[in-house]
Amino acid sequence: MGSWKNLSKEELSSYKQELEKKYEEIKNLGMSLNMSRGKPSPDVLDFSNGLLGALENYHTKDGTDVRNYGVTTGIPECKELFSGLLDILEDRLIVGGNASLSHMYNIYSILYLFGPPGFEPWSKLPKVKFLCPVPGYDRHFAVSEDFGTEMVNVPMTENGPDMDVVEELVKNDDSIKGIWCVPLYSNPEGVVYNDETVRRLAQMETAAPDFRIFWDNAYGVHHIYDEYKIADIMKLADEAGHPDRVYYFFSTSKVTFPGGGVGLFASGEANIKQMKAHIGKQTIGYDKITQLRTVNFFKTPDGIREHMKKLGAVLRPKFDLVLDKLEEEFAGTDLLTWVTPKGGYFISIDTMDGCAKEIIAMAKEAGATLTGAGATFPYKKDPNDKNIRIAPTYPGLDELEKTMDLLSVCIKLVSIDKLLK
Ligand code: PLP
């Protein structure tokens, strides 16, 4: 269709009339579609049903009865499974409750209350700032906001956060204590951090000696197209003399069941020692039954990789549908840009400046709920009001197609209004 900015007022107005008619038609269908959050669909959950019965034994290989109290850092076979899957040393790994987000929150609060090992509690400092690559994951930003951390936006590139910006900031400001990272198939753009980015994060000079990287590898095995692998940040940080710089997170929320899986974190020796001491006071043992079931169900890291191939095969046509639709409706126009995700759970689109909120409101009025505008930015403030996160994992293909048709109409209508002004 070419650039819309070159269309005459008459052309735009006539196109607007056509689109308004289409919008009313869709609205009259009385649809109720929800594409607001990245959840697995019921058919994907079904692939893990075997996990529910995978408890032929109650005892771990070291004789622990998983039905009872005890073991706060993960049963040995579960640690072995994830150590093998993620290339993390077992003694640096704690396998705990299902939600990696609650491990992040817990560590964050311990840093605020007690301080990183050998350092002052962050709550005692006049100011604490965190770098937030944008667009990013709303729940990370919500954790920082909860503690009153000042969030600093850092632009994302196709290779991860803009490292020139990151390095410049952390080198000169000792109140910058950390950064949120989703290194593989970032939420929401599906970006893969390249080796250079990972190396620079591990090695960079920081004014704060207790600088921390929250390395949320939530989509670490969630391939949809090619299988990408990121560099080993824990090893690189060790080699650079920063063994405690990184907290690494992962969970099986989107491998098996959200809320019914296992979550884990890993870090340097001093951090793990500190966390073990606190966890020992927080619980007498996490859900070891789910840990053992997970091991029985998958057996080996390759078992998990094979399982993820099945999930990827369900997600691929959904991602293809959204991306084809975007291409069909918007390629060559100046209404929309998007990053083609390399994997993960989301597709991120950028409208013309100042349009996202209105597009989402229009879609909602016609029956489709999308992730709220601004959600991908700290404080829910998208400075250009242009980013929209599309979450195609839950709806079926038919529903997805209807939502994308409606979304396309809304994007065009709001953009025309903007252009006519
Ligand atoms: N991290 C990222 C980047 C996510 O996208 C999500 C869920 O969407 C989570 C963490 C939540 O993980 P969990 O269920 O392990 O808390």
Side-chain angles (χ1 to χ4, degrees):
M1 167 121 225
S3 167
W4 283 43
K5 287 185 181 154
N6 298 330
L7 295 179
S8 68
K9 261 192 172 157
E10 290 68 35
E11 283 171 310
L12 287 172
S13 301
S14 128
Y15 203 26
K16 184 178 169 184
Q17 272 184 3
E18 242 176 77
L19 287 162
E20 276 172 345
K21 209 172 133 224
K22 220 168 172 182
Y23 179 74
E24 284 308 315
E25 276 168 18
I26 300 178
K27 200 169 150 186
N28 288 337
L29 295 175
M31 301 189 300
S32 174
L33 310 167
N34 195 323
M35 211 164 56
S36 62
R37 297 233 59 106
K39 293 198 297 188
S41 56
D43 52 338
V44 158
L45 295 173
D46 283 346
F47 285 122
S48 299
N49 284 348
L51 182 80
L52 299 169
L55 201 63
E56 56 268 16
N57 52 335
Y58 303 128
H59 291 92
T60 63
K61 64 181 184 184
D62 66 359
T64 303
D65 184 336
V66 294
R67 298 168 303 175
N68 217 326
Y69 271 137
V71 188
T72 50
T73 58
I75 62 170
E77 46 270 74
C78 201
K79 288 174 101 165
E80 195 182 315
L81 177 68
F82 289 107
S83 155
L85 181 72
L86 303 169
D87 258 336
I88 296 172
L89 296 171
E90 275 182 54
D91 57 4
R92 292 241 187 140
L93 186 61
I94 293 184
V95 182
N98 69 83
S100 61
L101 201 61
S102 64
H103 296 301
M104 293 173 216
Y105 195 100
N106 196 26
I107 289 173
Y108 210 96
S109 57
I110 283 167
L111 294 173
Y112 262 81
L113 270 175
F114 301 98
F119 294 95
E120 260 200 293
W122 289 356
S123 57
K124 294 259 168 72
L125 305 175
K127 191 177 269 302
V128 174
K129 298 182 194 161
F130 244 64
L131 301 185
C132 300
V134 290
Y137 178 40
D138 53 348
R139 293 185 194 273
H140 286 163
F141 305 152
V143 173
S144 287
E145 195 170 357
D146 236 11
F147 287 85
T149 314
E150 185 181 315
M151 290 180 270
V152 180
N153 293 1
V154 172
M156 280 291 281
T157 73
E158 60 183 309
N159 296 315
D162 186 327
M163 284 309 298
D164 291 341
V165 174
V166 170
E167 282 171 347
E168 191 57 25
L169 285 165
V170 299
K171 191 169 68 182
N172 295 308
D173 185 347
D174 67 358
S175 69
I176 299 178
K177 293 291 186 189
I179 182 169
W180 289 107
C181 293
V182 184
L184 190 66
Y185 313 134
S186 69
N187 178 348
E189 292 176 299
V191 160
V192 175
Y193 288 22
N194 69 0
D195 291 355
E196 168 79 1
T197 301
V198 180
R199 185 187 58 71
R200 286 171 78 176
L201 282 164
Q203 294 178 349
M204 67 191 180
E205 189 191 321
T206 61
D210 52 348
F211 182 87
R212 294 293 186 260
I213 298 173
F214 276 59
W215 194 252
D216 180 3
N217 200 16
Y219 301 104
V221 289
H222 299 61
H223 314 294
I224 294 178
Y225 300 107
D226 293 330
E227 294 198 6
Y228 291 86
K229 197 168 187 285
I230 37 165
D232 184 343
I233 193 156
M234 304 263 291
K235 187 158 167 265
L236 287 166
D238 274 356
E239 286 166 3
H242 310 301
D244 288 294
R245 175 174 285 186
V246 181
Y247 291 107
Y248 182 126
F249 302 91
F250 180 80
S251 82
T252 60
S253 286
K254 274 157 266 164
V255 174
T256 58
F257 304 130
V262 292
L264 60 86
F265 67 91
S267 193
E269 206 180 313
N271 287 342
I272 288 296
K273 186 167 169 224
Q274 177 191 42
M275 286 308 299
K276 277 184 182 167
H278 289 292
I279 287 171
K281 290 168 189 126
Q282 292 174 338
T283 179
I284 318 171
Y286 289 113
D287 174 4
K288 297 182 295 301
I289 294 176
T290 298
Q291 292 180 19
L292 186 58
R293 269 206 287 233
T294 303
V295 175
N296 289 343
F297 184 57
F298 289 122
K299 311 269 187 297
T300 61
D302 274 343
I304 299 182
R305 293 187 191 106
E306 284 308 309
H307 176 84
M308 293 313 289
K309 283 187 189 159
K310 292 185 220 159
L311 274 53
V314 176
L315 295 191
R316 208 172 305 125
K318 298 187 181 189
F319 276 70
D320 286 346
L321 187 151
V322 173
L323 292 167
D324 288 350
K325 214 59 171 176
L326 293 175
E327 193 68 31
E328 199 179 300
E329 301 283 344
F330 297 104
T333 71
D334 26 30
L335 305 190
L336 205 69
T337 55
W338 62 94
V339 176
T340 302
K342 292 190 163 129
Y345 248 55
F346 302 100
I347 293 165
S348 170
I349 59 175
D350 280 332
T351 66
M352 283 167 42
D353 283 0
C355 291
K357 238 186 233 146
E358 211 177 320
I359 291 167
I360 288 170
M362 260 192 107
K364 174 121 188 150
E365 210 186 306
T369 308
L370 294 155
T371 307
T376 51
F377 283 76
Y379 312 107
K380 296 193 170 30
K381 276 193 202 137
D382 175 353
N384 299 306
D385 184 26
K386 66 176 189 179
N387 187 251
I388 297 177
R389 184 179 83 166
I390 297 178
T393 56
Y394 188 81
L397 287 170
D398 188 42
E399 200 170 314
L400 200 51
E401 186 161 17
K402 286 186 185 135
T403 312
M404 287 308 296
D405 285 340
L406 170 60
L407 182 61
S408 300
V409 171
C410 297
I411 293 170
K412 288 177 186 170
L413 270 175
V414 174
S415 306
I416 288 180
D417 272 344
K418 204 83 200 158
L419 290 169
L420 283 172
K421 272 181 205 151

